[in-house]
Amino acid sequence: MALHFKIITPLRTVVDTEALSILLPASEGQMEVLPGHTDIITSVANGELVYRQAGQPETSLFVGGGFLQVESDYALLVTDTALAADEMDPDSITAAIELAKKDLRNSESVLSREEQVRLETLISKQLAMLEYRSSRRR
């Protein structure tokens, strides 16, 4: 038995398949979704998502937070980022981190608290992406 699993971002549908299991970084810690899971809506943190399909090796993606809805045998993840390790450019990620750190340092006194939090969140997400890419490349 499998559940229909879909990941969507603002730019594309990343996954649309039947999955035997989904392991993801929920906000409160790791969470596994199996067929027959209780209906739930939960927030998802930055980190590695792994899903298994029948007769296939497990698939790993980095997800950049979002929300997961499980209803009956359907799971939908809405996120702003869902990438495999080979889709990530470490130089671009590092450049984005450095730019955000520079913006935060150079204009901390004139940035609103909201803008400071946005930059800190961006840095945290980019660092998580580098860590994921590094761990998957070994």
Side-chain angles (χ1 to χ4, degrees), residues 62 81 83-85 87-100 122-134:
F62 174 85
T81 306
L83 298 168
E87 294 177 290
M88 296 178 180
D89 175 15
D91 294 333
S92 295
I93 296 169
T94 302
I97 292 169
E98 292 309 313
L99 181 60
L122 175 69
I123 292 167
S124 176
K125 179 179 173 181
Q126 298 294 323
L127 288 170
M129 288 174 72
L130 280 178
E131 182 179 319
Y132 167 79
R133 187 176 187 283
S134 174

Coordinates of all heavy atoms in Angstrom, one line a residue, residues 62 81 83-85 87-100 122-134:
F62 N 16.6 18.3 -0.3 CA 16.6 19.4 0.8 C 15.3 20.1 0.6 O 15.0 20.6 -0.5 CB 17.8 20.3 0.6 CG 17.8 21.5 1.5 CD1 18.3 21.4 2.8 CD2 17.1 22.7 1.2 CE1 18.2 22.4 3.7 CE2 17.1 23.7 2.0 CZ 17.6 23.6 3.3
T81 N 11.5 25.7 -1.3 CA 12.7 25.1 -1.9 C 12.6 23.6 -1.7 O 12.3 23.1 -0.6 CB 13.9 25.5 -1.1 OG1 14.0 27.0 -1.1 CG2 15.2 25.0 -1.7
L83 N 15.2 20.7 -3.4 CA 16.3 20.4 -4.4 C 17.1 19.2 -4.0 O 17.3 18.9 -2.8 CB 17.3 21.6 -4.3 CG 16.8 23.0 -4.8 CD1 17.8 24.1 -4.4 CD2 16.5 23.0 -6.2
A84 N 17.6 18.5 -5.0 CA 18.5 17.4 -4.8 C 19.9 18.0 -4.6 O 20.1 19.1 -5.1 CB 18.5 16.4 -6.0
A85 N 20.8 17.2 -4.0 CA 22.2 17.8 -3.8 C 22.8 18.2 -5.1 O 23.5 19.2 -5.1 CB 23.0 16.7 -3.1
E87 N 21.5 19.5 -7.6 CA 20.9 20.7 -8.2 C 21.4 22.0 -7.5 O 21.1 23.1 -7.9 CB 19.4 20.7 -8.0 CG 18.7 19.6 -8.8 CD 17.2 19.6 -8.5 OE1 16.8 19.2 -7.4 OE2 16.5 20.0 -9.4
M88 N 22.3 21.8 -6.5 CA 22.8 23.0 -5.7 C 24.1 23.4 -6.1 O 25.0 22.6 -6.4 CB 22.8 22.6 -4.2 CG 21.5 22.2 -3.6 SD 21.8 21.8 -1.8 CE 20.1 21.4 -1.4
D89 N 24.3 24.7 -6.2 CA 25.6 25.3 -6.6 C 26.2 25.9 -5.3 O 25.8 26.9 -4.8 CB 25.4 26.4 -7.6 CG 26.7 27.1 -7.9 OD1 27.8 26.6 -7.6 OD2 26.7 28.1 -8.6
P90 N 27.2 25.2 -4.7 CA 27.8 25.7 -3.5 C 28.4 27.1 -3.5 O 28.3 27.8 -2.6 CB 28.9 24.6 -3.1 CG 29.2 23.9 -4.4 CD 27.9 24.0 -5.2
D91 N 28.9 27.5 -4.7 CA 29.4 28.8 -4.8 C 28.3 29.9 -4.7 O 28.5 30.9 -4.1 CB 30.2 29.0 -6.2 CG 31.4 28.1 -6.2 OD1 32.0 27.8 -5.1 OD2 31.9 27.7 -7.3
S92 N 27.2 29.6 -5.4 CA 26.1 30.5 -5.3 C 25.5 30.6 -3.8 O 25.1 31.7 -3.4 CB 24.9 30.1 -6.2 OG 25.4 30.2 -7.5
I93 N 25.5 29.5 -3.2 CA 25.0 29.4 -1.8 C 25.9 30.2 -0.9 O 25.4 31.1 -0.1 CB 24.8 28.0 -1.3 CG1 23.8 27.2 -2.1 CG2 24.5 27.9 0.2 CD1 23.7 25.7 -1.9
T94 N 27.2 30.0 -1.0 CA 28.2 30.7 -0.2 C 28.1 32.2 -0.5 O 28.1 33.0 0.4 CB 29.6 30.2 -0.5 OG1 29.6 28.8 -0.2 CG2 30.6 30.9 0.3
A95 N 27.9 32.6 -1.8 CA 27.8 34.0 -2.1 C 26.6 34.6 -1.5 O 26.6 35.8 -1.0 CB 27.8 34.2 -3.6
A96 N 25.5 33.9 -1.5 CA 24.2 34.4 -0.9 C 24.4 34.6 0.6 O 23.9 35.6 1.2 CB 23.1 33.5 -1.2
I97 N 25.1 33.7 1.3 CA 25.4 33.8 2.7 C 26.2 35.0 3.0 O 25.9 35.8 3.9 CB 26.1 32.5 3.2 CG1 25.1 31.3 3.2 CG2 26.6 32.7 4.7 CD1 25.8 30.0 3.4
E98 N 27.3 35.2 2.2 CA 28.1 36.3 2.5 C 27.4 37.7 2.2 O 27.6 38.6 3.0 CB 29.4 36.2 1.6 CG 30.3 35.1 2.0 CD 30.7 35.1 3.4 OE1 31.0 36.2 4.0 OE2 30.6 34.0 4.1
L99 N 26.6 37.7 1.2 CA 25.9 39.0 0.9 C 24.9 39.3 2.0 O 24.8 40.4 2.5 CB 25.1 38.8 -0.4 CG 24.3 40.1 -0.9 CD1 25.2 41.3 -1.0 CD2 23.6 39.8 -2.1
A100 N 24.2 38.2 2.5 CA 23.2 38.5 3.6 C 23.9 38.9 4.9 O 23.4 39.8 5.6 CB 22.4 37.2 3.8
L122 N 17.4 33.6 6.1 CA 18.0 33.3 4.9 C 19.4 32.7 5.1 O 19.7 31.7 4.5 CB 18.2 34.6 4.0 CG 19.0 34.4 2.7 CD1 18.2 33.6 1.7 CD2 19.3 35.8 2.1
I123 N 20.2 33.3 6.0 CA 21.5 32.7 6.3 C 21.4 31.3 6.8 O 22.1 30.4 6.4 CB 22.3 33.6 7.3 CG1 22.6 35.0 6.6 CG2 23.5 32.9 7.8 CD1 23.1 36.0 7.6
S124 N 20.5 31.1 7.8 CA 20.2 29.8 8.4 C 19.9 28.7 7.3 O 20.4 27.6 7.3 CB 19.2 29.9 9.4 OG 18.9 28.6 10.0
K125 N 19.0 29.1 6.4 CA 18.6 28.2 5.4 C 19.7 27.9 4.4 O 19.9 26.7 4.1 CB 17.4 28.8 4.6 CG 16.9 28.0 3.4 CD 15.8 28.7 2.8 CE 15.3 28.0 1.5 NZ 14.2 28.7 0.9
Q126 N 20.5 28.9 4.0 CA 21.6 28.6 3.1 C 22.7 27.7 3.8 O 23.3 26.9 3.1 CB 22.2 30.0 2.7 CG 21.3 30.9 1.9 CD 20.9 30.3 0.6 OE1 21.6 29.7 -0.1 NE2 19.6 30.5 0.2
L127 N 22.9 28.0 5.1 CA 23.9 27.1 5.8 C 23.4 25.7 5.8 O 24.1 24.7 5.7 CB 24.1 27.6 7.2 CG 25.0 28.9 7.3 CD1 24.9 29.5 8.7 CD2 26.4 28.7 6.8
A128 N 22.1 25.5 6.1 CA 21.5 24.1 6.1 C 21.6 23.5 4.7 O 21.8 22.3 4.6 CB 20.0 24.2 6.5
M129 N 21.5 24.3 3.6 CA 21.6 23.7 2.3 C 23.1 23.2 2.1 O 23.3 22.1 1.5 CB 21.3 24.8 1.2 CG 19.8 25.1 1.2 SD 19.4 26.4 0.0 CE 19.7 25.7 -1.6
L130 N 24.0 24.0 2.5 CA 25.4 23.6 2.4 C 25.7 22.3 3.1 O 26.4 21.4 2.7 CB 26.4 24.7 2.8 CG 26.6 25.9 1.9 CD1 27.5 26.9 2.5 CD2 27.2 25.4 0.5
E131 N 25.2 22.3 4.4 CA 25.4 21.1 5.2 C 24.8 19.9 4.5 O 25.4 18.8 4.5 CB 24.8 21.3 6.6 CG 25.0 20.2 7.5 CD 24.4 20.4 8.9 OE1 24.5 21.6 9.4 OE2 23.8 19.5 9.4
Y132 N 23.5 20.0 4.0 CA 22.9 18.9 3.3 C 23.7 18.4 2.1 O 23.9 17.3 1.9 CB 21.5 19.3 2.9 CG 20.8 18.3 1.9 CD1 20.3 17.2 2.3 CD2 20.9 18.6 0.5 CE1 19.7 16.3 1.5 CE2 20.3 17.7 -0.4 CZ 19.7 16.6 0.1 OH 19.2 15.7 -0.8
R133 N 24.1 19.4 1.3 CA 24.9 19.1 0.1 C 26.2 18.3 0.4 O 26.5 17.3 -0.2 CB 25.2 20.3 -0.7 CG 25.8 20.0 -2.1 CD 26.0 21.2 -2.9 NE 26.5 20.8 -4.2 CZ 27.7 20.5 -4.5 NH1 28.7 20.4 -3.6 NH2 28.1 20.2 -5.8
S134 N 26.8 18.8 1.5 CA 28.1 18.2 1.9 C 27.8 16.8 2.4 O 28.6 15.9 2.1 CB 28.7 19.1 3.0 OG 29.8 18.4 3.6

